[in-house]
Amino acid sequence: MTLTPVRIGLIGAGRIGASHATVIARRVPEAQLVAVADPRPGVAAALAEPLHARGESSPEAVFAADDVDAVVIAASSTAHAELIVAAAGAGKHVFSEKPAGMSLEEIERGIAATAQAGVAFQVGFNRRFAADFRAAHDAIVAGRIGTVRQLRSLTRDPGAGPADPDAVPPWTVFTQTLIHDFDTLNWLNPGARAVDVVATADSLTAPGHPTLLDHATVVIRYDNGAIATAEASFAAAYGYDVRGEVLGSAGMVTAGEGATTSMRLHDATGRIAATAHGDTELMIDAYTGEFAEFATAIREGRTPSVTGEDARAAFAIAQACIESHQSGTRAQVPA
């Protein structure tokens, strides 16, 4: 029996929205891209029409459409919470890019709105759908490394740093970059809750900038005794780098390498590996997997494997990091 694809409207045609639209239309048979919304004149149509979808000038047009079952929110982070609530109010299933809000209160409103509407709510923590990270998680759950004791996760963005430091919103390193690492660490330490953090961050590409934080290291303590570190950099000259490591009482598991293939060139300069220079390149299969999960969960009438509560747990760590950086001391993670 052939199942009808879940009909999706996408909100936001920027860099990540354009990637998501292409992934949904060309790589996810469980879904069908039917509409793209963006307020900038002509932008939505330019993205949508080659993908056999239509362009809309407002999210409201997508929310009101009878041929849209679900929405993917890829607009500016500050708009996520409002769009989640509006989509749920229109009876649409919701996939939101991270973060699902810019405060715990905003995220909680989204959780409540989607629960009240009885619609699926998934958040874009793509690392859970990368094959190597999934295998690491499964090995931990199976007990292959024993009791989790130490964890590490890192994200390094490619390039020389922000071209315009003034354009980077305050606390981005915690709320939009390391938010992935916080979720990854929570996921790789199943059943444990983050208790407190010590966060150190600074601007190393634009020293002395009043708000930019482009490098950060966070130490997290969990209630099962495990200790974790999360690292971020906005200036990795060699490419986009995402890695994880978990040490247990009986072994260790690692994930992530940054190389685009297993091929290695050995020549007079040494051993060379080609590395990815963007998240949409390195994580393309993970993005595909998360949208396949979203559509499948809707079809099966179940809760997606990444929930609003997961988004809240990761943002709670980010909020504690902000408090720790401001105070220069250890900060409690909100329950």
Side-chain angles (χ1 to χ4, degrees), residues 33-81:
L33 182 71
V34 299
V36 174
D38 195 289
R40 295 170 295 171
V43 171
L47 173 61
E49 289 172 4
L51 300 174
H52 308 291
R54 68 177 181 276
E56 300 284 5
S57 61
S58 72
E60 290 75 20
V62 174
F63 298 152
D66 292 335
D67 64 345
V68 172
D69 304 312
V71 297
V72 170
I73 296 170
S76 172
S77 296
T78 56
H80 287 181

Side-chain angles (χ1 to χ4, degrees), residues 78-104:
T78 56
H80 287 181
E82 178 184 350
L83 291 170
I84 290 166
V85 171
K92 309 301 185 185
H93 302 284
V94 183
F95 179 104
S96 174
E97 260 304 331
K98 54 74 194 170
M102 298 307 295
S103 70
L104 291 178

Side-chain angles (χ1 to χ4, degrees), residues 127 154-158 236 238-243 256-258 276 282:
R127 236 161 275 187
L154 67 82
T155 299
R156 294 176 183 159
D157 290 336
Y238 58 90
Y240 186 63
D241 191 0
V242 169
R243 282 179 275 154
E257 186 184 26
L282 182 64

Side-chain angles (χ1 to χ4, degrees), residues 41-259:
V43 171
L47 173 61
E49 289 172 4
L51 300 174
H52 308 291
R54 68 177 181 276
E56 300 284 5
S57 61
S58 72
E60 290 75 20
V62 174
F63 298 152
D66 292 335
D67 64 345
V68 172
D69 304 312
V71 297
V72 170
I73 296 170
S76 172
S77 296
T78 56
H80 287 181
E82 178 184 350
L83 291 170
I84 290 166
V85 171
K92 309 301 185 185
H93 302 284
V94 183
F95 179 104
S96 174
E97 260 304 331
K98 54 74 194 170
M102 298 307 295
S103 70
L104 291 178
E105 293 73 20
E106 285 191 353
I107 295 172
E108 288 163 358
R109 285 203 297 274
I111 293 171
T114 52
Q116 182 176 2
V119 296
F121 181 27
Q122 182 173 331
V123 179
F125 290 132
N126 57 68
R127 236 161 275 187
R128 295 184 181 222
F129 299 92
D132 48 355
F133 280 87
R134 167 62 65 179
H137 172 267
D138 292 348
I140 293 166
V141 171
R144 297 185 63 184
I145 67 166
T147 301
V148 173
R149 291 177 173 170
Q150 285 186 308
L151 306 93
R152 181 187 183 214
S153 182
L154 67 82
T155 299
R156 294 176 183 159
D157 290 336
D164 181 4
D166 292 336
V168 180
W171 311 120
T172 290
V173 73
F174 298 131
T175 62
Q176 300 191 51
T177 301
L178 280 171
I179 196 81
H180 275 299
D181 299 271
F182 300 151
D183 177 70
T184 299
L185 293 168
N186 289 344
W187 181 56
L188 294 178
N189 193 11
R193 188 184 75 81
V195 175
D196 57 40
V197 308
V198 176
T200 301
D202 208 340
S203 174
L204 302 184
T205 65
H209 192 277
T211 61
L212 177 69
L213 299 174
D214 54 28
H215 289 75
T217 299
V218 178
V219 178
I220 307 167
R221 294 196 304 183
Y222 283 87
D223 61 3
N224 65 347
I227 303 169
T229 58
E231 304 171 28
S233 168
F234 290 176
Y238 58 90
Y240 186 63
D241 191 0
V242 169
R243 282 179 275 154
E245 177 180 295
V246 183
L247 175 68
S249 59
M252 182 182 74
V253 64
T254 66
E257 186 184 26

